[in-house]
Amino acid sequence: MLKQRLSYILVVLGCLMGGAAEAQNPFITNQFTADPTARAFNGRVYVYPSHDIPAAPGRGRAGWFVMEDYHVFSSANLTDWTDHGVIVTQNKVPWVKPDSYSMWAPDCIERNGKYYFYFPTTPKDTTNGKGFTIGVAVADRPTGPFVPQPLPIKGVHGIDPNVLIDKDGQAYLYWSQDNIYGAKLKENMLELAAEPVTLGELPTKGLKEGPYVFERKGTYYLTYPHVANKTERLEYATSKSPLGPFTVKGVLMDESPTGCWTNHHSLLELNNQWYLFYHHNDLSPNFDKNRSVRIDSLFFEPDGSIRKVVPTLRGVGLSSAKQKIQLDRYSRLSASGTSIAFLDTANKFQGWKTVFANKQGWVQYNGVAFGKQPLKTVTLRATAAAGATVLIRLDGATGPVLGQVSVPKGGKWQEVKAPLSAFRPGTHSLFVASKTDSPVEIDWVRFE
Protein backbone atom coordinates (compact mmCIF):
# COMPACT_ATOMS: atom_id res chain seq x y z
CA MET A 1 0.00 0.00 0.00
CA LEU A 2 2.79 2.43 0.91
CA LYS A 3 4.61 1.68 -2.34
CA GLN A 4 1.40 2.34 -4.29
CA ARG A 5 0.87 5.69 -2.53
CA LEU A 6 4.49 6.73 -3.15
CA SER A 7 4.13 5.84 -6.82
CA TYR A 8 1.04 8.01 -7.11
CA ILE A 9 2.77 10.92 -5.33
CA LEU A 10 5.65 10.72 -7.82
CA VAL A 11 3.19 10.93 -10.70
CA VAL A 12 1.48 13.98 -9.19
CA LEU A 13 4.81 15.72 -8.63
CA GLY A 14 5.80 14.98 -12.22
CA CYS A 15 2.57 16.50 -13.50
CA LEU A 16 2.97 19.63 -11.41
CA MET A 17 6.49 20.20 -12.67
CA GLY A 18 5.35 20.79 -16.28
CA GLY A 19 7.98 22.49 -18.40
CA ALA A 20 10.07 20.96 -21.14
CA ALA A 21 10.18 17.36 -22.27
CA GLU A 22 12.65 15.45 -24.41
CA ALA A 23 13.30 14.87 -28.11
CA GLN A 24 13.69 11.11 -27.85
CA ASN A 25 11.16 8.31 -27.35
CA PRO A 26 9.18 8.58 -25.24
CA PHE A 27 9.05 12.33 -25.76
CA ILE A 28 7.05 13.04 -22.59
CA THR A 29 8.85 11.73 -19.52
CA ASN A 30 7.41 13.65 -16.56
CA GLN A 31 4.11 11.72 -16.54
CA PHE A 32 2.36 8.81 -18.23
CA THR A 33 0.70 9.67 -21.55
CA ALA A 34 -1.13 7.62 -24.18
CA ASP A 35 -3.35 7.85 -27.28
CA PRO A 36 -1.63 10.91 -28.79
CA THR A 37 -3.47 13.02 -31.34
CA ALA A 38 -1.06 15.42 -33.06
CA ARG A 39 -2.28 18.56 -34.83
CA ALA A 40 -0.44 21.47 -36.44
CA PHE A 41 -1.91 24.87 -35.59
CA ASN A 42 -0.29 28.12 -36.72
CA GLY A 43 3.12 26.55 -37.37
CA ARG A 44 3.31 24.72 -34.05
CA VAL A 45 2.58 21.07 -33.27
CA TYR A 46 0.16 20.29 -30.46
CA VAL A 47 -0.27 16.82 -28.99
CA TYR A 48 -3.44 15.92 -27.12
CA PRO A 49 -2.89 12.60 -25.30
CA SER A 50 -4.80 10.83 -22.59
CA HIS A 51 -3.18 10.79 -19.16
CA ASP A 52 -2.58 7.52 -17.31
CA ILE A 53 -2.09 7.55 -13.56
CA PRO A 54 -1.50 4.60 -11.23
CA ALA A 55 -4.56 3.41 -9.35
CA ALA A 56 -4.69 4.25 -5.65
CA PRO A 57 -7.31 3.84 -2.90
CA GLY A 58 -10.30 5.87 -4.06
CA ARG A 59 -8.65 6.57 -7.40
CA GLY A 60 -9.78 4.22 -10.09
CA ARG A 61 -9.71 0.47 -10.51
CA ALA A 62 -6.52 -1.43 -9.68
CA GLY A 63 -5.00 -3.22 -12.65
CA TRP A 64 -6.90 -1.14 -15.20
CA PHE A 65 -6.68 2.19 -17.06
CA VAL A 66 -7.04 5.14 -14.67
CA MET A 67 -7.40 8.57 -16.32
CA GLU A 68 -8.86 11.70 -14.73
CA ASP A 69 -7.80 14.62 -16.97
CA TYR A 70 -6.09 15.78 -20.15
CA HIS A 71 -2.93 17.82 -20.74
CA VAL A 72 -1.78 19.41 -23.99
CA PHE A 73 1.86 19.57 -25.12
CA SER A 74 3.36 21.65 -27.91
CA SER A 75 6.57 22.01 -29.89
CA ALA A 76 7.97 24.15 -32.68
CA ASN A 77 10.52 21.52 -33.78
CA LEU A 78 9.36 18.07 -32.56
CA THR A 79 12.35 18.19 -30.22
CA ASP A 80 11.56 20.60 -27.38
CA TRP A 81 8.13 19.95 -25.87
CA THR A 82 6.23 22.15 -23.45
CA ASP A 83 3.51 20.90 -21.08
CA HIS A 84 0.71 23.49 -21.00
CA GLY A 85 -1.01 21.75 -18.12
CA VAL A 86 -4.50 20.38 -17.58
CA ILE A 87 -7.15 21.47 -20.10
CA VAL A 88 -10.11 19.26 -19.10
CA THR A 89 -10.65 17.30 -15.88
CA GLN A 90 -13.36 14.77 -15.06
CA ASN A 91 -15.12 16.51 -12.16
CA LYS A 92 -15.44 19.84 -13.98
CA VAL A 93 -17.51 18.48 -16.87
CA PRO A 94 -21.25 18.75 -16.09
CA TRP A 95 -22.35 15.47 -17.69
CA VAL A 96 -19.49 13.22 -16.51
CA LYS A 97 -19.95 10.65 -13.75
CA PRO A 98 -17.86 11.93 -10.81
CA ASP A 99 -14.60 10.12 -10.10
CA SER A 100 -15.09 7.75 -13.02
CA TYR A 101 -11.41 7.94 -14.08
CA SER A 102 -12.29 7.09 -17.66
CA MET A 103 -11.09 10.08 -19.68
CA TRP A 104 -9.88 8.00 -22.63
CA ALA A 105 -8.39 8.85 -26.04
CA PRO A 106 -9.24 12.41 -27.27
CA ASP A 107 -8.92 14.55 -30.40
CA CYS A 108 -8.82 18.28 -31.15
CA ILE A 109 -9.58 20.19 -34.35
CA GLU A 110 -9.69 23.86 -35.36
CA ARG A 111 -12.54 25.48 -37.26
CA ASN A 112 -13.22 29.17 -37.86
CA GLY A 113 -10.85 30.24 -35.12
CA LYS A 114 -12.32 27.90 -32.49
CA TYR A 115 -10.70 24.74 -31.12
CA TYR A 116 -12.94 21.75 -30.51
CA PHE A 117 -11.68 19.12 -28.08
CA TYR A 118 -13.49 15.77 -28.29
CA PHE A 119 -13.21 13.29 -25.45
CA PRO A 120 -14.96 10.08 -24.33
CA THR A 121 -15.87 9.14 -20.78
CA THR A 122 -18.57 7.68 -18.55
CA PRO A 123 -21.75 9.78 -18.26
CA LYS A 124 -23.90 10.35 -15.19
CA ASP A 125 -27.04 9.65 -17.18
CA THR A 126 -27.34 6.05 -18.32
CA THR A 127 -30.95 6.37 -19.55
CA ASN A 128 -29.87 5.58 -23.10
CA GLY A 129 -27.69 2.68 -22.08
CA LYS A 130 -24.45 1.99 -20.29
CA GLY A 131 -21.01 2.68 -21.65
CA PHE A 132 -19.11 5.71 -22.89
CA THR A 133 -20.37 8.84 -24.56
CA ILE A 134 -18.37 11.57 -26.29
CA GLY A 135 -18.37 15.24 -25.38
CA VAL A 136 -16.83 18.45 -26.67
CA ALA A 137 -14.99 21.33 -25.00
CA VAL A 138 -14.42 24.57 -26.92
CA ALA A 139 -11.61 27.13 -26.70
CA ASP A 140 -10.23 30.19 -28.50
CA ARG A 141 -6.68 28.85 -28.35
CA PRO A 142 -5.19 25.38 -28.82
CA THR A 143 -4.06 25.37 -25.18
CA GLY A 144 -7.38 26.57 -23.81
CA PRO A 145 -9.03 27.42 -21.56
CA PHE A 146 -11.50 24.83 -22.82
CA VAL A 147 -15.17 25.10 -21.82
CA PRO A 148 -17.02 21.76 -21.82
CA GLN A 149 -20.45 21.62 -23.38
CA PRO A 150 -23.22 20.85 -20.87
CA LEU A 151 -24.18 17.56 -22.60
CA PRO A 152 -22.37 14.94 -24.69
CA ILE A 153 -23.02 14.60 -28.44
CA LYS A 154 -26.48 13.14 -28.99
CA GLY A 155 -26.54 9.82 -30.83
CA VAL A 156 -22.89 8.93 -30.21
CA HIS A 157 -22.03 6.01 -27.93
CA GLY A 158 -18.43 4.85 -27.81
CA ILE A 159 -14.81 5.87 -27.42
CA ASP A 160 -11.83 7.21 -29.37
CA PRO A 161 -13.29 10.24 -31.19
CA ASN A 162 -11.51 11.46 -34.32
CA VAL A 163 -12.51 14.36 -36.57
CA LEU A 164 -11.77 14.95 -40.26
CA ILE A 165 -12.64 18.21 -42.02
CA ASP A 166 -12.73 17.32 -45.70
CA LYS A 167 -11.57 19.53 -48.57
CA ASP A 168 -15.15 20.64 -49.24
CA GLY A 169 -15.52 21.81 -45.63
CA GLN A 170 -17.70 18.93 -44.46
CA ALA A 171 -16.65 17.64 -41.03
CA TYR A 172 -16.87 13.98 -40.02
CA LEU A 173 -16.73 12.36 -36.61
CA TYR A 174 -15.37 8.83 -36.22
CA TRP A 175 -15.42 6.65 -33.12
CA SER A 176 -15.35 3.02 -32.01
CA GLN A 177 -17.52 0.66 -29.97
CA ASP A 178 -17.09 -2.96 -31.08
CA ASN A 179 -17.15 -1.59 -34.66
CA ILE A 180 -15.83 1.68 -36.11
CA TYR A 181 -18.41 4.32 -36.98
CA GLY A 182 -18.49 7.57 -38.90
CA ALA A 183 -20.99 10.39 -39.30
CA LYS A 184 -21.23 13.88 -40.72
CA LEU A 185 -21.04 16.75 -38.25
CA LYS A 186 -23.05 19.94 -38.42
CA GLU A 187 -21.27 23.23 -39.08
CA ASN A 188 -21.30 23.95 -35.32
CA MET A 189 -19.08 20.86 -34.76
CA LEU A 190 -21.24 19.92 -31.79
CA GLU A 191 -24.00 17.78 -33.34
CA LEU A 192 -24.35 14.98 -35.84
CA ALA A 193 -25.77 16.02 -39.22
CA ALA A 194 -26.76 12.47 -40.20
CA GLU A 195 -27.17 9.00 -38.78
CA PRO A 196 -23.93 7.11 -38.04
CA VAL A 197 -22.55 4.69 -40.61
CA THR A 198 -20.88 1.43 -39.60
CA LEU A 199 -17.58 1.04 -41.43
CA GLY A 200 -18.14 -2.65 -41.93
CA GLU A 201 -15.47 -3.53 -44.48
CA LEU A 202 -12.86 -4.07 -41.74
CA PRO A 203 -11.74 -7.33 -40.09
CA THR A 204 -14.56 -8.96 -38.12
CA LYS A 205 -12.34 -11.00 -35.80
CA GLY A 206 -10.63 -9.25 -32.89
CA LEU A 207 -11.02 -5.84 -31.28
CA LYS A 208 -10.93 -2.75 -33.51
CA GLU A 209 -10.77 0.75 -32.05
CA GLY A 210 -8.98 4.11 -32.17
CA PRO A 211 -9.85 5.29 -35.71
CA TYR A 212 -7.73 8.05 -37.25
CA VAL A 213 -8.79 9.20 -40.72
CA PHE A 214 -6.91 11.50 -43.09
CA GLU A 215 -6.85 12.31 -46.79
CA ARG A 216 -3.79 12.21 -49.05
CA LYS A 217 -3.81 12.73 -52.82
CA GLY A 218 -7.50 11.96 -53.11
CA THR A 219 -7.34 8.78 -51.03
CA TYR A 220 -8.92 8.52 -47.58
CA TYR A 221 -6.91 6.46 -45.11
CA LEU A 222 -8.68 4.85 -42.15
CA THR A 223 -6.05 3.75 -39.65
CA TYR A 224 -6.92 1.79 -36.52
CA PRO A 225 -5.53 -0.55 -33.82
CA HIS A 226 -6.64 -4.16 -34.26
CA VAL A 227 -6.09 -7.24 -32.10
CA ALA A 228 -5.39 -9.78 -34.81
CA ASN A 229 -3.64 -12.10 -32.34
CA LYS A 230 -3.05 -11.16 -28.68
CA THR A 231 -2.11 -7.46 -28.71
CA GLU A 232 -2.94 -4.48 -30.87
CA ARG A 233 -1.16 -3.70 -34.10
CA LEU A 234 -1.81 -0.65 -36.27
CA GLU A 235 -3.55 -1.35 -39.58
CA TYR A 236 -5.01 0.76 -42.37
CA ALA A 237 -7.67 0.70 -45.06
CA THR A 238 -8.33 3.09 -47.95
CA SER A 239 -11.31 4.55 -49.78
CA LYS A 240 -12.30 7.26 -52.25
CA SER A 241 -14.92 8.50 -49.80
CA PRO A 242 -14.69 9.65 -46.16
CA LEU A 243 -17.32 7.08 -45.12
CA GLY A 244 -16.14 4.22 -47.32
CA PRO A 245 -16.45 1.58 -48.48
CA PHE A 246 -12.91 0.90 -47.30
CA THR A 247 -10.48 -1.74 -48.51
CA VAL A 248 -8.05 -3.18 -45.96
CA LYS A 249 -4.50 -2.64 -47.16
CA GLY A 250 -2.13 -3.81 -44.46
CA VAL A 251 -0.20 -3.21 -41.24
CA LEU A 252 1.59 0.05 -40.54
CA MET A 253 3.08 -1.01 -37.18
CA ASP A 254 3.46 -4.53 -35.78
CA GLU A 255 2.45 -5.68 -32.31
CA SER A 256 4.61 -4.57 -29.39
CA PRO A 257 7.63 -6.87 -29.05
CA THR A 258 7.35 -6.58 -25.24
CA GLY A 259 3.61 -7.30 -25.05
CA CYS A 260 2.11 -3.85 -24.48
CA TRP A 261 -1.55 -4.71 -25.11
CA THR A 262 -2.70 -1.39 -26.60
CA ASN A 263 -1.46 1.00 -29.23
CA HIS A 264 -3.21 4.18 -30.32
CA HIS A 265 -1.96 6.69 -32.82
CA SER A 266 -2.31 9.66 -35.12
CA LEU A 267 -0.49 10.79 -38.27
CA LEU A 268 0.75 14.26 -39.11
CA GLU A 269 2.38 15.80 -42.18
CA LEU A 270 4.83 18.57 -41.39
CA ASN A 271 7.18 20.23 -43.89
CA ASN A 272 6.61 17.42 -46.43
CA GLN A 273 7.46 14.72 -43.90
CA TRP A 274 4.90 12.40 -42.30
CA TYR A 275 5.10 11.30 -38.69
CA LEU A 276 3.41 8.57 -36.67
CA PHE A 277 2.52 9.41 -33.08
CA TYR A 278 1.77 6.34 -30.95
CA HIS A 279 2.38 4.92 -27.46
CA HIS A 280 4.25 2.20 -25.62
CA ASN A 281 4.86 1.37 -21.96
CA ASP A 282 8.52 2.49 -21.83
CA LEU A 283 8.29 4.06 -18.35
CA SER A 284 6.24 1.19 -16.93
CA PRO A 285 7.63 -1.99 -18.48
CA ASN A 286 5.84 -4.29 -16.05
CA PHE A 287 2.39 -2.67 -16.32
CA ASP A 288 0.99 -1.81 -19.74
CA LYS A 289 -1.82 0.42 -18.43
CA ASN A 290 0.70 3.20 -17.73
CA ARG A 291 1.91 4.25 -21.16
CA SER A 292 4.13 6.87 -22.82
CA VAL A 293 3.85 8.65 -26.16
CA ARG A 294 6.35 8.30 -29.00
CA ILE A 295 7.03 9.69 -32.50
CA ASP A 296 8.67 8.08 -35.51
CA SER A 297 8.93 9.05 -39.15
CA LEU A 298 6.47 7.51 -41.62
CA PHE A 299 6.83 7.06 -45.38
CA PHE A 300 4.51 6.36 -48.28
CA GLU A 301 5.46 4.18 -51.23
CA PRO A 302 4.92 5.54 -54.78
CA ASP A 303 1.65 3.57 -55.05
CA GLY A 304 0.27 5.24 -51.91
CA SER A 305 0.78 2.30 -49.58
CA ILE A 306 2.26 2.99 -46.14
CA ARG A 307 5.70 1.63 -45.41
CA LYS A 308 5.64 -0.25 -42.10
CA VAL A 309 7.03 1.85 -39.25
CA VAL A 310 9.65 0.19 -37.06
CA PRO A 311 9.66 1.78 -33.58
CA THR A 312 12.83 3.53 -32.45
CA LEU A 313 14.17 4.91 -29.19
CA ARG A 314 15.88 7.80 -30.97
CA GLY A 315 12.64 9.23 -32.27
CA VAL A 316 12.71 12.28 -34.53
CA GLY A 317 14.12 15.79 -34.62
CA LEU A 318 17.63 17.08 -34.04
CA SER A 319 19.27 17.16 -30.62
CA SER A 320 21.34 20.22 -29.86
CA ALA A 321 24.91 19.41 -28.86
CA LYS A 322 24.56 22.08 -26.17
CA GLN A 323 21.73 20.22 -24.42
CA LYS A 324 21.87 16.97 -22.48
CA ILE A 325 22.00 14.13 -25.00
CA GLN A 326 20.48 10.93 -23.63
CA LEU A 327 22.65 8.21 -25.14
CA ASP A 328 20.25 5.58 -23.82
CA ARG A 329 17.81 6.66 -26.58
CA TYR A 330 20.36 5.32 -29.05
CA SER A 331 20.24 4.82 -32.80
CA ARG A 332 22.62 1.83 -32.68
CA LEU A 333 24.03 -0.23 -29.81
CA SER A 334 26.84 -2.78 -29.69
CA ALA A 335 25.74 -6.41 -29.59
CA SER A 336 27.68 -6.98 -26.38
CA GLY A 337 29.30 -4.84 -23.72
CA THR A 338 26.50 -2.26 -23.55
CA SER A 339 23.05 -2.22 -21.94
CA ILE A 340 20.35 0.22 -20.92
CA ALA A 341 18.88 0.45 -17.40
CA PHE A 342 16.70 2.79 -15.35
CA LEU A 343 18.55 5.39 -13.30
CA ASP A 344 16.22 4.75 -10.39
CA THR A 345 13.83 1.81 -10.45
CA ALA A 346 11.76 3.48 -7.70
CA ASN A 347 11.19 6.57 -9.88
CA LYS A 348 11.32 5.64 -13.52
CA PHE A 349 10.43 9.21 -14.58
CA GLN A 350 14.14 9.99 -14.03
CA GLY A 351 14.85 8.02 -17.20
CA TRP A 352 17.64 5.69 -18.21
CA LYS A 353 21.41 5.29 -18.25
CA THR A 354 23.83 3.62 -20.66
CA VAL A 355 25.97 0.92 -19.02
CA PHE A 356 29.30 0.03 -20.63
CA ALA A 357 30.48 -3.29 -19.15
CA ASN A 358 33.83 -3.33 -20.97
CA LYS A 359 35.72 -1.89 -23.92
CA GLN A 360 33.60 -3.88 -26.36
CA GLY A 361 30.73 -1.55 -25.61
CA TRP A 362 29.66 1.39 -27.78
CA VAL A 363 26.59 3.41 -28.60
CA GLN A 364 25.69 5.62 -31.58
CA TYR A 365 23.24 8.52 -31.37
CA ASN A 366 22.21 10.13 -34.66
CA GLY A 367 21.09 13.66 -35.42
CA VAL A 368 23.20 15.89 -33.17
CA ALA A 369 23.31 19.54 -34.25
CA PHE A 370 26.71 21.08 -33.42
CA GLY A 371 26.00 24.42 -35.07
CA LYS A 372 28.61 26.68 -36.60
CA GLN A 373 30.39 28.21 -33.61
CA PRO A 374 33.22 26.03 -32.28
CA LEU A 375 32.51 24.13 -29.07
CA LYS A 376 35.41 23.64 -26.69
CA THR A 377 34.44 21.09 -24.02
CA VAL A 378 32.40 17.95 -23.44
CA THR A 379 30.76 17.01 -20.14
CA LEU A 380 29.59 13.56 -19.09
CA ARG A 381 27.39 12.73 -16.14
CA ALA A 382 28.93 9.39 -15.30
CA THR A 383 29.96 6.97 -12.61
CA ALA A 384 32.72 4.33 -12.60
CA ALA A 385 33.65 2.46 -9.43
CA ALA A 386 37.18 1.66 -10.65
CA GLY A 387 37.54 4.63 -12.99
CA ALA A 388 37.23 4.52 -16.76
CA THR A 389 38.09 6.27 -20.00
CA VAL A 390 35.42 7.19 -22.53
CA LEU A 391 36.18 7.99 -26.18
CA ILE A 392 33.87 10.24 -28.21
CA ARG A 393 33.88 10.24 -32.02
CA LEU A 394 31.77 11.69 -34.80
CA ASP A 395 30.05 9.60 -37.47
CA GLY A 396 30.95 6.08 -36.43
CA ALA A 397 33.70 3.92 -35.01
CA THR A 398 36.30 5.22 -37.46
CA GLY A 399 35.20 8.83 -37.46
CA PRO A 400 37.23 11.76 -36.14
CA VAL A 401 37.89 11.82 -32.40
CA LEU A 402 36.15 14.68 -30.64
CA GLY A 403 37.57 14.05 -27.21
CA GLN A 404 38.48 11.65 -24.46
CA VAL A 405 37.05 11.80 -20.96
CA SER A 406 38.64 10.22 -17.88
CA VAL A 407 36.01 9.35 -15.30
CA PRO A 408 37.54 9.26 -11.79
CA LYS A 409 36.88 6.20 -9.69
CA GLY A 410 34.04 6.39 -7.21
CA GLY A 411 30.54 5.15 -6.54
CA LYS A 412 28.64 8.40 -7.04
CA TRP A 413 27.43 10.23 -10.12
CA GLN A 414 29.69 13.08 -11.14
CA GLU A 415 29.88 15.58 -13.98
CA VAL A 416 33.24 15.24 -15.70
CA LYS A 417 34.45 17.83 -18.20
CA ALA A 418 37.21 17.47 -20.78
CA PRO A 419 38.52 19.62 -23.67
CA LEU A 420 37.59 18.79 -27.25
CA SER A 421 40.45 17.83 -29.51
CA ALA A 422 38.50 18.71 -32.66
CA PHE A 423 35.29 20.37 -33.82
CA ARG A 424 33.15 19.78 -36.89
CA PRO A 425 30.23 22.12 -37.60
CA GLY A 426 26.87 20.86 -38.79
CA THR A 427 24.84 17.77 -37.93
CA HIS A 428 26.55 14.49 -37.08
CA SER A 429 26.04 11.18 -35.35
CA LEU A 430 27.74 10.77 -31.99
CA PHE A 431 29.73 7.59 -31.30
CA VAL A 432 30.64 6.90 -27.67
CA ALA A 433 32.76 3.94 -26.56
CA SER A 434 34.56 2.71 -23.48
CA LYS A 435 38.34 2.29 -23.67
CA THR A 436 38.65 0.28 -20.46
CA ASP A 437 37.37 -3.08 -19.24
CA SER A 438 36.09 -1.62 -15.98
CA PRO A 439 32.39 -0.73 -16.06
CA VAL A 440 31.23 2.85 -16.60
CA GLU A 441 27.70 4.24 -16.60
CA ILE A 442 26.68 7.41 -18.47
CA ASP A 443 23.53 9.42 -17.87
CA TRP A 444 24.03 12.14 -20.52
CA VAL A 445 26.55 13.99 -22.68
CA ARG A 446 26.68 17.73 -23.34
CA PHE A 447 29.01 20.04 -25.31
CA GLU A 448 29.93 23.66 -24.56
Side-chain angles (χ1 to χ4, degrees):
M1 185 69 72
L2 177 60
K3 184 176 181 181
Q4 189 180 44
R5 288 183 180 274
L6 287 173
S7 178
Y8 180 75
I9 290 169
L10 288 171
V11 173
V12 172
L13 288 174
C15 297
L16 292 174
M17 288 168 61
E22 300 294 339
Q24 305 89 3
N25 284 330
F27 65 92
I28 305 299
T29 56
N30 69 341
Q31 60 190 271
F32 295 120
T33 49
D35 313 315
T37 290
R39 299 291 189 183
F41 300 134
N42 303 316
R44 193 170 179 88
V45 175
Y46 293 83
V47 170
Y48 299 85
S50 55
H51 180 198
D52 293 334
I53 61 173
R59 293 181 179 271
R61 169 183 159 192
W64 193 239
F65 303 102
V66 182
M67 301 132 107
E68 66 179 334
D69 58 30
Y70 298 100
H71 288 233
V72 59
F73 301 84
S74 75
S75 175
N77 56 11
L78 299 181
T79 297
D80 304 301
W81 290 90
T82 298
D83 180 357
H84 297 280
V86 174
I87 55 172
V88 174
T89 189
Q90 62 181 5
N91 292 336
K92 292 186 179 181
V93 180
W95 58 268
V96 172
K97 179 182 178 183
D99 301 320
S100 52
Y101 293 94
S102 56
M103 309 290 274
W104 288 14
D107 194 4
C108 189
I109 199 81
E110 183 272 336
R111 183 159 208 167
N112 298 328
K114 295 285 187 181
Y115 295 86
Y116 297 86
F117 181 77
Y118 297 80
F119 59 96
T121 191
T122 307
K124 293 177 184 176
D125 185 357
T126 57
T127 304
N128 295 318
K130 295 181 180 180
F132 282 65
T133 51
I134 292 172
V136 190
V138 186
D140 294 323
R141 297 189 300 273
T143 56
F146 282 88
V147 178
Q149 296 296 296
L151 294 172
I153 303 173
K154 185 178 180 180
V156 177
H157 299 277
I159 59 174
D160 304 336
N162 165 241
V163 176
L164 167 72
I165 299 179
D166 204 4
K167 293 175 291 186
D168 62 2
Q170 176 63 57
Y172 296 84
L173 176 68
Y174 302 88
W175 67 95
S176 59
Q177 186 66 56
D178 297 325
N179 291 301
I180 293 178
Y181 303 90
K184 289 183 178 181
L185 280 170
K186 290 184 179 180
E187 182 75 19
N188 65 12
M189 304 296 285
L190 304 175
E191 302 172 88
L192 296 188
E195 288 296 312
V197 174
T198 302
L199 307 183
E201 304 83 18
L202 306 178
T204 56
K205 179 183 176 183
L207 175 68
K208 302 179 296 295
E209 58 179 358
Y212 189 85
V213 179
F214 65 97
E215 182 271 336
R216 177 182 180 270
K217 296 185 177 180
T219 297
Y220 295 87
Y221 290 77
L222 166 60
T223 63
Y224 55 93
H226 174 217
V227 182
N229 296 301
K230 293 183 178 180
T231 60
E232 290 185 342
R233 68 187 188 188
L234 301 182
E235 300 178 0
Y236 74 103
T238 62
S239 176
K240 292 301 179 182
S241 166
L243 294 177
F246 285 91
T247 301
V248 174
K249 291 295 185 179
V251 176
L252 64 96
M253 178 175 280
D254 286 328
E255 294 93 339
S256 159
T258 60
C260 183
W261 183 68
T262 65
N263 201 350
H264 189 111
H265 67 296
S266 61
L267 290 88
L268 178 70
E269 184 182 21
L270 191 67
N271 299 325
N272 298 315
Q273 173 62 56
W274 284 83
Y275 298 95
L276 178 69
F277 291 72
Y278 62 104
H279 71 232
H280 193 58
N281 61 322
D282 297 87
L283 290 167
S284 179
N286 298 319
F287 183 59
D288 63 359
K289 308 303 185 292
N290 289 161
R291 299 153 297 176
S292 298
V293 290
R294 291 177 162 202
I295 320 172
D296 273 304
S297 298
L298 178 142
F299 300 91
F300 289 85
E301 302 294 357
D303 65 357
S305 60
I306 300 175
R307 188 184 306 170
K308 189 180 292 185
V309 178
V310 178
T312 74
L313 295 177
R314 174 60 185 88
V316 301
L318 297 178
S319 294
S320 170
K322 297 179 182 180
Q323 296 180 339
K324 295 174 182 177
I325 299 167
Q326 306 291 339
L327 297 177
D328 48 77
R329 307 295 88 190
Y330 59 86
S331 302
R332 295 175 60 219
L333 190 74
S334 57
S336 62
T338 315
S339 60
I340 307 300
F342 282 105
L343 283 164
D344 183 353
T345 56
N347 180 12
K348 296 183 176 67
F349 289 128
Q350 290 192 17
W352 298 265
K353 59 186 176 182
T354 306
V355 181
F356 298 87
N358 50 50
K359 60 184 178 182
Q360 306 301 316
W362 56 265
V363 62
Q364 181 171 311
Y365 184 101
N366 294 345
V368 179
F370 282 85
K372 296 179 180 179
Q373 298 297 320
L375 301 176
K376 298 180 179 179
T377 62
V378 57
T379 301
L380 304 181
R381 184 174 187 260
T383 180
T389 301
V390 175
L391 188 66
I392 301 174
R393 296 178 180 270
L394 290 182
D395 304 323
T398 60
V401 174
L402 268 188
Q404 184 170 289
V405 183
S406 296
V407 181
K409 64 180 180 180
K412 295 183 178 180
W413 286 99
Q414 50 192 320
E415 294 184 14
V416 187
K417 182 179 289 190
L420 293 183
S421 56
F423 174 78
R424 297 286 178 91
T427 300
H428 301 274
S429 62
L430 197 63
F431 186 91
V432 179
S434 174
K435 287 190 67 178
T436 50
D437 273 328
S438 54
V440 57
E441 300 178 356
I442 298 177
D443 183 6
W444 49 257
V445 179
R446 183 180 62 209
F447 297 87
E448 298 173 296

